[in-house]
Amino acid sequence: MSTFTASVKVLIDTRAEGHCEICGEALGFKTLDVSRHHRLPRGMGGSRLPVVSSAANGLLICGSGVTFCHGLVESERVMAYNNGWLVHRGQSPLEVPVKLWYGWMILDGLGNAHPIGSAA
């Protein structure tokens, strides 16, 4: 499976608490596109790796693939990899830190964000 299930979407959305996880913009108060972005891309034809469809691999972000934060991720790939918004093949989203609007975190498969250096 390569897409987020309904239950994983709930975990991602709950973690985000109604905000874009990159810029912190409150979602729903503006007419913004909202995306559940895969940090480790699914690739052509999807992926059978379970982590690809996990909450650790998903970010709730504003915009589409060409607008707002989602557009930033797609157009500024080096920045996106440096900030953990994208994860290289061969790496696990469970292990790659991500810069969220409130700090550097490690995401887990249960929809939690752990500050770097905390017991996960």
Side-chain angles (χ1 to χ4, degrees), residues 10 78 84 86 88 115-116:
V10 168
V78 172
L86 285 173
H88 290 284
I116 298 296

PDB file of all heavy atoms in Angstrom, residues 10 78 84 86 88 115-116:
ATOM      1  N   VAL A  10      -6.004  10.466  10.065  1.00  0.00           N
ATOM      2  CA  VAL A  10      -6.448  11.007  11.355  1.00  0.00           C
ATOM      3  C   VAL A  10      -5.235  11.250  12.260  1.00  0.00           C
ATOM      4  O   VAL A  10      -5.152  12.291  12.927  1.00  0.00           O
ATOM      5  CB  VAL A  10      -7.476  10.068  12.031  1.00  0.00           C
ATOM      6  CG1 VAL A  10      -7.720  10.467  13.474  1.00  0.00           C
ATOM      7  CG2 VAL A  10      -8.779  10.065  11.248  1.00  0.00           C
ATOM      8  N   VAL A  78      16.600  20.764  -2.314  1.00  0.00           N
ATOM      9  CA  VAL A  78      17.734  20.705  -1.391  1.00  0.00           C
ATOM     10  C   VAL A  78      17.285  21.163  -0.003  1.00  0.00           C
ATOM     11  O   VAL A  78      17.571  20.505   1.007  1.00  0.00           O
ATOM     12  CB  VAL A  78      18.927  21.543  -1.906  1.00  0.00           C
ATOM     13  CG1 VAL A  78      20.024  21.643  -0.856  1.00  0.00           C
ATOM     14  CG2 VAL A  78      19.481  20.954  -3.200  1.00  0.00           C
ATOM     15  N   GLY A  84      14.232  17.709   6.292  1.00  0.00           N
ATOM     16  CA  GLY A  84      13.528  16.456   6.557  1.00  0.00           C
ATOM     17  C   GLY A  84      12.124  16.402   5.998  1.00  0.00           C
ATOM     18  O   GLY A  84      11.381  15.467   6.276  1.00  0.00           O
ATOM     19  N   LEU A  86      11.529  16.043   2.936  1.00  0.00           N
ATOM     20  CA  LEU A  86      11.701  14.933   2.016  1.00  0.00           C
ATOM     21  C   LEU A  86      12.768  14.018   2.604  1.00  0.00           C
ATOM     22  O   LEU A  86      13.692  14.487   3.276  1.00  0.00           O
ATOM     23  CB  LEU A  86      12.164  15.408   0.629  1.00  0.00           C
ATOM     24  CG  LEU A  86      11.133  16.073  -0.259  1.00  0.00           C
ATOM     25  CD1 LEU A  86      11.790  16.629  -1.520  1.00  0.00           C
ATOM     26  CD2 LEU A  86      10.031  15.090  -0.644  1.00  0.00           C
ATOM     27  N   HIS A  88      15.401  10.755   1.565  1.00  0.00           N
ATOM     28  CA  HIS A  88      16.012  10.011   0.455  1.00  0.00           C
ATOM     29  C   HIS A  88      15.662   8.533   0.525  1.00  0.00           C
ATOM     30  O   HIS A  88      15.497   7.968   1.613  1.00  0.00           O
ATOM     31  CB  HIS A  88      17.543  10.140   0.508  1.00  0.00           C
ATOM     32  CG  HIS A  88      18.042  11.501   0.184  1.00  0.00           C
ATOM     33  ND1 HIS A  88      18.092  12.000  -1.103  1.00  0.00           N
ATOM     34  CD2 HIS A  88      18.538  12.485   0.980  1.00  0.00           C
ATOM     35  CE1 HIS A  88      18.587  13.222  -1.084  1.00  0.00           C
ATOM     36  NE2 HIS A  88      18.861  13.552   0.169  1.00  0.00           N
ATOM     37  N   PRO A 115      10.537  15.778  20.308  1.00  0.00           N
ATOM     38  CA  PRO A 115      11.654  16.723  20.152  1.00  0.00           C
ATOM     39  C   PRO A 115      12.976  15.974  20.065  1.00  0.00           C
ATOM     40  O   PRO A 115      13.159  14.948  20.733  1.00  0.00           O
ATOM     41  CB  PRO A 115      11.589  17.586  21.417  1.00  0.00           C
ATOM     42  CG  PRO A 115      10.209  17.405  21.948  1.00  0.00           C
ATOM     43  CD  PRO A 115       9.779  16.031  21.531  1.00  0.00           C
ATOM     44  N   ILE A 116      13.880  16.481  19.246  1.00  0.00           N
ATOM     45  CA  ILE A 116      15.191  15.861  19.129  1.00  0.00           C
ATOM     46  C   ILE A 116      15.836  15.818  20.517  1.00  0.00           C
ATOM     47  O   ILE A 116      15.819  16.782  21.268  1.00  0.00           O
ATOM     48  CB  ILE A 116      16.093  16.678  18.168  1.00  0.00           C
ATOM     49  CG1 ILE A 116      15.498  16.708  16.767  1.00  0.00           C
ATOM     50  CG2 ILE A 116      17.511  16.128  18.152  1.00  0.00           C
ATOM     51  CD1 ILE A 116      15.402  15.384  16.097  1.00  0.00           C
TER      52      ILE A 116
END
